[in-house]
Amino acid sequence: MDLFEGPDNTPEFSVSEISGAVKRVIEGEFSHVRVRGEVGRVVIARTGHMYFDLKDDRSVIACVSWKGQVSKFQHRPEEGMEVIVTGRMTTFGPQSKYQLNVEAVEPAGAGALMAMLEKRRKALEAEGLFAPERKRPLPWLPEVIGVVTSLQGAVIRDILHRLRDRFPRKVLIWPVAVQGQACAAEVARGIEGFNRMTPGGALPRPDVIIVARGGGSIEDLWGFNEEIVVRAAAASQIPLISAVGHETDTTLIDHAADRRAPTPTAAAEIAVPVRAELLAWLADQEARLIRGGTQALVLRGQRLRDLSRGLPRVESLLEGPRQRLDVWSDRLPNALHRGVQLRRVALSEASGTLRPALLRRLIEGERRRLEQGGSRITPALTRAVAQKREAYGRRADRLRPQALQAEIARHARDLDRLGRRLSDAGERQIKGLSDRLDALDRLRLTLGYEATLERGYAVVRDGAGAVLTRKAEAEAATGLEIQFADGTMKIGGGTAPRRAKASPAASKPADDNGPNDKGTDGGSGGQGSLF
């Protein structure tokens, strides 16, 4: 038999035995230790126990404090604090892990990670990346929403569910790693990728971007504190909402974003309004508009009725004008008759100055003056010719026959021209007087009462031929003679012959200076030719 063959002499341990042995060794060697480090993620269970991490730049130790120990802490550990803890090392067999049971906690200053984070924040803030004037307003109702997050977490489901409840919109998702070494680069590429999309292209460009991640420790969220992510968020031309962690978690992207949401669900609520609320608001505004229009009509109708009661009635407005119309309509016939009578009197007075005898005397006077002037002009011309001839005779001795004949011919032409001018002047004067006489005769006919008789009027005379203008005069007359346009009628008698109408050659009765004139109606009222 081979020397090495056979059962092994190494003792065998069960899992619990080896776990207990490790526990005894660790608790025996490290039964009381003081450890300095930075507090990481802190979790308080429902039982009251506290679990947190203690770390430095290379290692992490899990720490636990039981409920009774936690109640005795003067300073509770918070994430990012650098502390000195006192306790003992122990193990947790079911998970094969060791941990530090912390009995006391003393603050030791700001942690290294928090110090580095604060230094980076101040440097980026000095560059103006967190300035309020760089932040853009969010669209009131975006058509497309871009989401930069992980597809495996519950964050994207919460966002989609919240958008579907409030106001369904088109959502584009850019999947990225939300923790680890690749987180910062992928998140920055997602923000830049959305910004490089062409507006109106085949794949629409988002109107707003949401960068979302659930809660976690500062180490889990550290990718959103990287400078590349902060600069990408600050350079985004699309409004950006940061929804990283829970309400108490703060990262540098929150300062560079246009809006910070405490949770991813809150980011969806910030991005879109509530559709039901908008419909309700629209219905309310429509109802208010209808109520306002109805109320305005009612108020204006009431105002119109109030004003109408203050106005006078139509009947009262027309009573005065109607009465004045009646008065003037009663006075109008009398006024017309009175006006006609006044104009008739004025016509009679004017026609009295236009008697044919007077006109004839005027014409005869003008004719006599013309003849007298002509009789004086002829001797004057004869004398002037004799004087000129005598002068020519005196000058004949001094002038040559040819010059004398030319001078005589010139003066003869002057005399002929002067004679023609004198004759033309006499003819023009006679024609002007004739035209004036014709115009006066036409005026006489126009102003005569015979033209008025053609319009339906009549002239009433008594038995002596006097014109009657009053009713009392007609009643007192023994007989009446009424002259119409076509003749004269006597009351109780027949119709007299029609009087001839006046004309430029013959009209009106003649006076004593016209012995050759004959009456046209058998009486003494006719008129012959003026010449």
Side-chain angles (χ1 to χ4, degrees):
M1 179 181 290
D2 191 354
L3 182 64
F4 297 101
E5 292 181 350
D8 192 354
N9 294 327
T10 303
E12 294 179 354
F13 296 96
S14 65
V15 175
S16 298
E17 288 174 346
I18 193 66
S19 178
V22 172
K23 181 178 179 68
R24 286 190 297 271
V25 171
I26 291 178
E27 290 181 353
E29 293 294 331
F30 304 98
S31 60
H32 183 80
V33 294
R34 285 170 59 85
V35 182
R36 183 187 183 102
E38 181 182 347
V39 178
R41 181 174 58 89
V42 179
V43 177
I44 298 178
R46 286 180 293 178
T47 57
H49 306 322
M50 177 183 290
Y51 301 91
F52 60 95
D53 296 333
L54 196 64
K55 58 188 177 181
D56 56 12
D57 56 346
R58 288 179 294 178
S59 302
V60 178
I61 296 178
C63 301
V64 58
S65 296
W66 310 120
K67 182 177 180 181
Q69 296 170 337
V70 173
S71 61
K72 297 179 182 178
F73 288 168
Q74 294 184 353
H75 301 282
R76 286 199 175 192
E78 296 179 2
E79 186 174 356
M81 290 178 56
E82 187 173 359
V83 296
I84 298 175
V85 297
T86 302
R88 61 187 180 88
M89 294 298 299
T90 183
T91 62
F92 184 59
Q95 294 184 1
S96 298
K97 61 181 292 187
Y98 65 91
Q99 59 189 9
L100 177 61
N101 180 224
V102 178
E103 299 174 353
V105 178
E106 301 175 10
L113 289 177
M114 296 302 293
M116 182 177 63
L117 181 63
E118 183 65 18
K119 180 179 179 182
R120 182 179 296 172
R121 186 189 68 80
K122 290 181 178 180
L124 296 175
E125 185 178 13
E127 295 182 19
L129 299 182
F130 304 156
E133 56 270 13
R134 291 176 59 94
K135 300 184 182 299
R136 291 164 293 277
L138 300 180
W140 183 72
L141 184 60
E143 291 292 334
V144 182
I145 300 175
V147 181
V148 180
T149 188
S150 174
L151 293 177
Q152 284 73 31
V155 171
I156 187 62
R157 290 193 296 272
D158 293 341
I159 292 175
L160 295 177
H161 177 72
R162 198 58 177 163
L163 290 176
R164 186 167 53 251
D165 290 343
R166 289 175 65 86
F167 206 121
R169 297 282 88 184
K170 183 180 294 185
V171 179
L172 298 179
I173 302 174
W174 195 292
V176 296
V178 293
Q179 70 180 53
Q181 294 182 354
C183 172
E186 292 185 4
V187 171
R189 282 197 300 269
I191 297 174
E192 293 172 356
F194 277 137
N195 278 271
R196 290 178 181 176
M197 287 184 177
T198 304
L203 191 62
R205 180 183 180 183
D207 299 316
V208 66
I209 298 175
I210 299 176
V211 179
R213 188 206 187 280
S217 64
I218 189 172
E219 292 83 5
D220 298 336
L221 305 179
W222 190 256
F224 298 93
N225 292 320
E226 295 293 344
E227 184 175 349
I228 185 175
V229 175
V230 176
R231 293 189 180 278
S236 175
Q237 298 299 320
I238 303 174
L240 189 141
I241 301 175
S242 173
V244 178
H246 296 302
E247 189 168 358
T248 58
D249 298 325
T250 303
T251 56
L252 294 183
I253 193 176
D254 295 336
H255 299 287
D258 298 302
R259 185 76 176 271
R260 178 184 181 270
T263 61
T265 304
E269 295 175 355
I270 293 172
V272 295
V274 181
R275 186 173 183 270
E277 293 179 358
L278 292 179
L279 293 175
W281 177 84
L282 184 61
D284 181 66
Q285 294 300 315
E286 182 180 4
R288 289 181 60 188
L289 180 62
I290 295 174
R291 288 197 303 271
T294 305
Q295 185 177 7
L297 290 176
V298 172
L299 292 177
R300 283 162 175 77
Q302 183 63 37
R303 178 62 175 167
L304 183 60
R305 288 190 291 273
D306 295 341
L307 292 175
S308 64
R309 285 194 293 270
L311 294 174
R313 294 182 298 106
V314 177
E315 293 78 6
S316 61
L317 290 175
L318 296 178
E319 286 175 357
R322 283 174 178 172
Q323 187 174 2
R324 288 195 298 272
L325 179 61
D326 294 338
V327 172
W328 287 109
S329 62
D330 293 339
R331 295 175 60 183
L332 180 60
N334 297 331
L336 290 175
H337 290 301
R338 180 61 179 169
V340 170
Q341 292 175 359
L342 292 176
R343 285 164 176 77
R344 183 177 294 167
V345 172
L347 178 62
S348 300
E349 294 176 354
S351 63
T353 61
L354 298 175
R355 291 192 299 272
L358 178 60
L359 293 175
R360 195 159 37 251
R361 285 196 297 271
L362 291 175
I363 294 173
E364 291 296 333
E366 294 294 333
R367 182 179 292 173
R368 284 194 296 272
R369 285 197 302 272
L370 181 61
E371 291 175 353
Q372 292 173 2
S375 62
R376 288 195 299 270
I377 288 175
T378 302
L381 289 176
T382 303
R383 287 194 300 271
V385 170
Q387 291 175 0
K388 290 293 183 179
R389 285 177 177 175
E390 291 177 0
Y392 293 154
R394 288 192 298 270
R395 295 177 58 189
D397 297 336
R398 298 190 300 271
L399 296 176
R400 293 188 300 272
Q402 296 82 3
L404 179 59
Q405 291 177 359
E407 184 74 14
I408 292 172
R410 183 175 63 82
H411 284 286
R413 287 194 299 272
D414 292 340
L415 288 175
D416 292 338
R417 186 167 54 253
L418 183 61
R420 285 194 301 272
R421 290 178 59 188
L422 180 60
S423 177
D424 293 341
E427 292 177 358
R428 284 195 301 271
Q429 187 174 10
I430 293 173
K431 187 177 184 303
L433 291 173
S434 299
D435 293 342
R436 182 180 177 189
L437 180 61
D438 294 340
L440 290 174
D441 189 60
R442 286 194 297 271
L443 179 62
R444 178 185 64 78
L445 293 176
T446 303
L447 298 178
Y449 71 94
E450 284 85 355
T452 306
L453 297 180
E454 294 290 345
R455 295 196 295 273
Y457 293 91
V459 179
V460 181
R461 296 185 178 87
D462 58 8
V467 177
L468 302 180
T469 60
R470 296 291 185 271
K471 177 181 178 183
E473 296 175 354
E475 293 175 349
T478 57
L480 297 177
E481 180 182 346
I482 303 175
Q483 181 181 356
F484 297 96
D486 57 348
T488 304
M489 183 185 75
K490 293 182 180 181
I491 299 298
T495 302
R498 179 177 177 179
R499 295 176 183 269
K501 293 186 179 180
S503 64
S507 67
K508 292 294 183 179
D511 61 3
D512 297 338
N513 295 326
N516 295 327
D517 296 337
K518 300 280 185 174
T520 60
D521 58 354
S524 60
Q527 178 180 329
S529 174
L530 291 176
F531 303 101

